[in-house]
Amino acid sequence: MHQQPLGASDLKVTRIAYGCMPLGGGWDDAPLSTQTRKQALVSIRAALDAGINFFDHADIYCRGKSEEVFSGIWQAVPHLRQRILLQSKCGICFPGDPNPDSPQRFDFSYEHIVSSVEGSLKRLQTDYLDVLLLHRPDPLVEPEEVARAFDELHQAGKVRWFGVSNHTAAQLELLRHFVRQPIVANQVAFNVLHTHMLDEGIIFNQDNPKLTRNEGTIEYCRLHNITLQAWGPLAWGLLSGREPEDPSEKITKAAAVVAKVARQKGVPAEALLIAWVLRHPATVQAIIGTTRPERIAAACQGDALALSREDWYHLFLAGRGEALP
Ligand SMILES: NC(=O)c1ccc[n+]([C@@H]2O[C@H](COP(=O)([O-])OP(=O)(O)OC[C@H]3O[C@@H](n4cnc5c(N)ncnc54)[C@H](OP(=O)(O)O)[C@@H]3O)[C@@H](O)[C@H]2O)c1
């Protein structure tokens, strides 16, 4: 699989990464079952077999169980830690934590960032994270505190590189003004059905524009060498066989276009969806979240599939469900 640098870091990451969110089996407090442990290893092995070297976590995924179950791979595949790259995220707190009446919230305080990393390292059974992302923008962010937390984690050898997720250009600019560690990635939802960041540049100055307010985030990341990591790159299966809970004509039509183009090219629909995400010149990294080995392998075929401008626009138009201005 092709590799590329992650932003300004010295990491060489595969263009397709594995998203570990579902590996823990459920977002509850039930202990990990033997079946969940086995299934997680099957998914991780499928990702390794496909050539993936980058694994995406968050402290909250399945309430910590996704990180915990992942650590089973160290025994299953000896000497693996040095060969793969681990990313985790912090900054989201569940309601009811730590007190029964605590609200849902984001928390970029020094204390939360540092203690979240300690928890991730313990659950993942590793001494360091290759990358730490701030998960969702905290309106109460004090960038100086983030800077202090990042510096200390870096100096202690606990985190090598830092980034963010779901951040706009302006939020990135604020952080980068204070944070001394380079920001190397911004993980955002991006797929054929979810094109708000692209639409913003296209609907500019049109009558009745949709207000997406991404503030030139793609352009900002390109200018500042911040890799865009695409979460949801398979459009959650909605264009490759999954029945939508709330079917719409737009999704049905888009799925038909995806199926037709995939047939013409002789590739699985999953490969086409990933190739579409990777075709964007912002050196995007696709974070796939399917647990099924056959879908992991199908999606990874997208790495070798080069799409023409026309191919890309066919799918862009299908996902938008409306013509360009
Ligand atoms: N930064 C953030 O805020 C954020 C938010 C969400 C996710 N993420 C990260 O991004 C990763 C991927 O995100 P994602 O899982 O939302 O996106 P995704 O890769 O687009 O979708 C994967 C999901 O779609 C299902 N799926 C795919 N093809 C299907 C089909 N043909 N039929 C039925 N179901 C199908 C998968 O189920 P199966 O397992 O059954 O295939 C899985 O639940 C996550 O694991 C996580 O690491 C980050």
Side-chain angles (χ1 to χ4, degrees), residues 66-295:
S66 298
E67 290 182 329
E68 190 186 337
V69 78
F70 188 91
S71 67
I73 201 68
W74 307 137
Q75 285 80 45
V77 184
H79 313 299
L80 184 66
R81 180 65 189 95
Q82 298 73 21
R83 290 194 283 124
I84 63 169
L85 301 165
L86 288 184
Q87 168 172 280
S88 195
K89 314 184 198 75
C90 66
I92 298 182
C93 300
F94 291 114
D97 181 24
N99 302 310
D101 64 347
S102 297
Q104 179 194 19
R105 64 207 181 282
F106 304 138
D107 189 345
F108 286 2
S109 65
Y110 168 87
E111 289 76 16
H112 183 78
I113 293 172
V114 170
S115 71
S116 164
V117 169
E118 298 293 353
S120 289
L121 294 178
K122 201 167 160 194
R123 288 186 294 274
L124 286 164
Q125 292 183 30
T126 186
D127 297 333
Y128 66 96
L129 296 175
D130 295 285
V131 188
L132 174 73
L133 305 184
L134 299 176
H135 207 154
R136 282 195 180 273
D138 173 12
L140 299 183
V141 62
E142 302 280 3
E144 298 92 334
E145 271 195 60
V146 173
R148 184 159 66 93
F150 281 9
D151 281 349
E152 285 189 20
L153 288 166
H154 185 69
Q155 277 153 20
K158 292 179 179 173
V159 180
R160 295 172 70 193
W161 298 96
F162 297 86
V164 297
S165 179
N166 305 304
H167 276 56
T168 65
Q171 290 162 340
L172 275 162
E173 183 78 5
L174 175 71
L175 274 177
R176 289 181 67 248
H177 185 76
F178 292 92
V179 171
R180 289 163 289 271
Q181 305 294 325
I183 299 294
V184 300
N186 184 15
Q187 189 175 116
V188 292
F190 183 52
N191 63 51
V192 170
L193 277 182
H194 196 95
T195 58
H196 305 307
M197 289 190 308
L198 301 174
D199 290 332
E200 183 191 54
I202 285 174
I203 64 176
F204 168 71
N205 207 21
Q206 297 294 302
D207 289 336
N208 192 20
K210 290 177 234 158
L211 284 176
T212 58
R213 297 194 46 80
N214 289 294
E215 300 170 9
T217 299
I218 291 187
E219 292 78 7
Y220 186 90
C221 289
R222 289 180 77 175
L223 274 171
H224 295 281
N225 196 11
I226 296 170
T227 293
L228 275 175
Q229 296 182 333
W231 64 265
L234 293 169
W236 309 289
L238 293 171
L239 300 180
S240 54
R242 181 173 146 212
E243 283 296 319
E245 279 164 29
D246 187 13
S248 73
E249 199 185 337
K250 182 179 128 170
I251 291 182
T252 310
K253 279 188 174 170
V257 173
V258 168
K260 185 176 157 204
V261 178
R263 228 180 5 257
Q264 284 166 351
K265 296 192 172 296
V267 296
E270 288 86 353
L272 187 63
L273 293 167
I274 296 302
W276 186 87
V277 165
L278 298 180
R279 173 64 176 81
H280 195 278
T283 58
V284 177
Q285 189 185 26
I287 317 281
I288 59 168
T290 172
T291 54
R292 304 266 194 117
E294 69 278 13
R295 287 191 192 130

Side-chain angles (χ1 to χ4, degrees), residues 38-54:
K38 274 190 193 156
Q39 179 54 52
L41 291 186
V42 168
S43 303
I44 299 165
R45 278 183 191 277
L48 291 169
D49 290 347
I52 287 175
N53 77 350
F54 191 95

